[in-house]
């Protein structure tokens, strides 16, 4: 295939972005039924709604001591394995961490991020101290803490936002800090271009939808001709579309840390090369993802 039939992340319009986002529930439900992953829908609700709500409540009660419990980290990992590539050994490694270790480590990591939200690396490096937690899973835990600004290092998000025309959706990922820096800057660029309070978690979902739809005629057929035509950017982004895609009214996204359209372009990209160790593209020791 010479070129992608789907919109590139560098020229997404608000209407196209909103429409693709609205397809997420339909495609998730279809894949859950197709793969018989009955728990996928339940885990999706936990990952995108329950866990962020719990962290938000803890943060509001005491901003310096927000944390995740062992069961909550296990639920996040279960979602990641069900949503992406299944690696059975990871669950056992994560389970080997004590509840106290997980709570103290996540508390420290979230405090590090809060002290310097433009540079997530120190927090991510703290999280990878946990057994079974690599850079991608660490970014998932931090994304649950701040879904508006922190991108989850998912395969689809990295491959779409950091598009390589030669490798395309088959691009090899090393799960390195350098790649996460590239991903962070790419997602911030998408947020700045689209504006309208677009969050990192929304960019993640859009990338996942596009990744799953590419080359899958059944999914493209499920969307239908009218849905496919909107991938060209026709129409206007509406409140209804945003509501369907994100699972919440975007006007309610008033949690601290949300960056409005006129401010997001001013956020600094992380200097991942000078904080928390030597910048390297070498795959992180341990679990790796």
């Amino acid at each position: 295939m010479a070129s992608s039939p789907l919109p590139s992340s560098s020229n997404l319009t608000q209407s196209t972005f909103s429409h693709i986002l609205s397809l997420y529930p339909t495609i998730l439900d279809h894949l859950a039924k197709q793969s018989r992953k009955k728990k996928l829908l339940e885990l999706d609700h936990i990952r995108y709604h329950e866990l962020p709500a719990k962290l938000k409540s803890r943060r509001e009660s005491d901003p310096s001591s927000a944390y995740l419990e062992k069961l909550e980290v296990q639920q996040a990992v279960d979602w990641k394995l069900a949503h992406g590539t299944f690696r059975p050994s990871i669950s056992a490694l994560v389970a080997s961490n004590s509840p106290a270790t997980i709570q103290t480590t996540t508390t420290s990591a979230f405090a590090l991020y809060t002290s310097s939200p433009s540079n997530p690396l120190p927090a991510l490096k703290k999280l990878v101290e946990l057994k079974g937690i690599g850079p991608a899973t660490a970014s998932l835990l931090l994304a649950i803490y701040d879904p508006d600004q922190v991108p989850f290092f998912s395969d689809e998000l990295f491959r779409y936002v950091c598009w390589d025309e030669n490798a395309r959706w088959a691009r090899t990922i090393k799960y390195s800090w350098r790649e996460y820096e590239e991903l962070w800057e790419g997602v911030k660029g998408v947020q700045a271009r689209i504006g309208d309070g677009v969050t990192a978690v929304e960019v993640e979902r859009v990338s996942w939808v596009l990744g799953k739809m590419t080359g899958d005629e059944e999914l493209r057929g499920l969307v239908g001709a009218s849905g496919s035509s909107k991938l060209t950017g026709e129409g206007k982004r509406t409140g209804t579309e945003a509501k369907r895609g994100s699972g919440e009214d975007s006007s309610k996204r008033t949690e601290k840390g949300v960056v409005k359209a006129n401010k997001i372009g001013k956020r600094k990209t992380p200097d991942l090369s000078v904080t928390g160790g030597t910048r390297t593209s070498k795959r992180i020791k341990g679990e790796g993802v």
Side-chain angles (χ1 to χ4, degrees):
M1 190 180 299
S3 62
S4 173
L6 300 173
S8 71
S9 61
S10 62
N11 60 19
L12 273 175
T13 63
Q14 287 186 359
S15 59
T16 302
F17 183 91
S18 181
H19 174 68
I20 299 171
L21 188 60
S22 75
L23 300 178
Y24 180 88
T26 301
I27 292 180
L28 179 72
D29 184 65
H30 174 75
L31 293 177
K33 292 176 180 177
Q34 184 184 57
S35 61
R36 297 182 180 179
K37 294 180 179 179
K38 295 181 179 179
K39 289 191 65 177
L40 180 56
L41 297 178
E42 177 186 347
L43 289 169
D44 212 65
H45 182 76
I46 291 172
R47 182 264 190 262
Y48 287 115
H49 298 279
E50 291 185 15
L51 294 183
K54 286 180 179 180
L55 277 175
K56 180 181 178 182
S57 177
R58 291 168 189 162
R59 188 163 60 246
E60 290 175 344
S61 298
D62 187 351
S64 64
S65 61
Y67 63 89
L68 282 170
E69 296 179 349
K70 180 174 180 176
L71 175 61
E72 294 164 348
V73 171
Q74 289 177 303
Q75 289 173 327
V77 171
D78 287 344
W79 171 85
K80 180 175 178 290
L81 297 179
H83 205 258
T85 302
F86 183 67
R87 297 180 175 89
S89 62
I90 293 179
S91 295
L93 284 171
V94 173
S96 69
N97 293 289
S98 71
T101 298
I102 286 181
Q103 184 166 329
T104 56
T105 301
T106 55
T107 299
S108 297
F110 296 152
L112 285 168
Y113 172 74
T114 300
S115 68
S116 183
S118 65
N119 182 5
L121 185 59
L124 294 173
K125 284 201 167 186
K126 172 58 66 173
L127 289 169
V128 298
E129 292 177 4
L130 293 169
K131 297 174 185 176
I133 303 298
T137 308
S139 73
L140 170 61
L141 301 181
L142 199 59
I144 290 172
Y145 178 77
D146 186 0
D148 295 319
Q149 301 303 329
V150 178
F152 162 46
F153 196 169
S154 72
D155 292 356
E156 291 83 8
L157 181 58
F158 179 78
R159 286 171 177 150
Y160 181 58
V161 172
C162 308
W163 187 255
D164 182 326
E165 186 58 36
N166 293 320
R168 302 170 61 79
W169 293 103
R171 179 177 178 177
T172 299
I173 305 174
K174 297 178 180 179
Y175 304 102
S176 66
W177 297 132
R178 180 174 293 181
E179 286 177 333
Y180 190 74
E181 177 184 20
E182 184 182 357
L183 174 67
W184 177 281
E185 294 175 350
V187 170
K188 294 307 170 189
V190 173
Q191 289 179 289
R193 284 191 297 274
I194 297 176
D196 198 27
V198 165
T199 64
V201 73
E202 290 174 333
V203 181
E204 172 202 327
R205 283 181 162 187
V206 163
S207 300
W208 186 80
V209 168
L210 292 175
K212 295 301 179 184
M213 286 181 62
T214 300
D216 192 323
E217 293 301 324
E218 185 175 0
L219 279 179
R220 295 179 74 84
L222 180 70
V223 171
S226 61
S228 297
S229 68
K230 290 184 180 180
L231 295 181
T232 62
E234 298 173 2
K236 296 180 179 180
R237 176 177 175 133
T238 66
T240 303
E241 286 177 331
K243 210 172 184 179
R244 283 200 307 269
S246 65
E248 63 177 353
D249 187 336
S250 60
S251 67
K252 295 180 181 179
R253 295 196 297 258
T254 57
E255 178 182 349
K256 185 178 179 181
V258 174
V259 179
K260 301 301 180 182
N262 64 338
K263 295 181 180 180
I264 194 164
K266 299 179 181 179
R267 285 180 62 88
K268 295 180 180 179
T269 53
D271 181 5
L272 300 184
S273 62
V274 297
T275 306
T278 303
R279 177 174 175 172
T280 175
S281 61
K282 185 177 180 181
R283 188 167 179 167
I284 308 305
K285 182 179 180 181
E287 174 234 339
V289 294

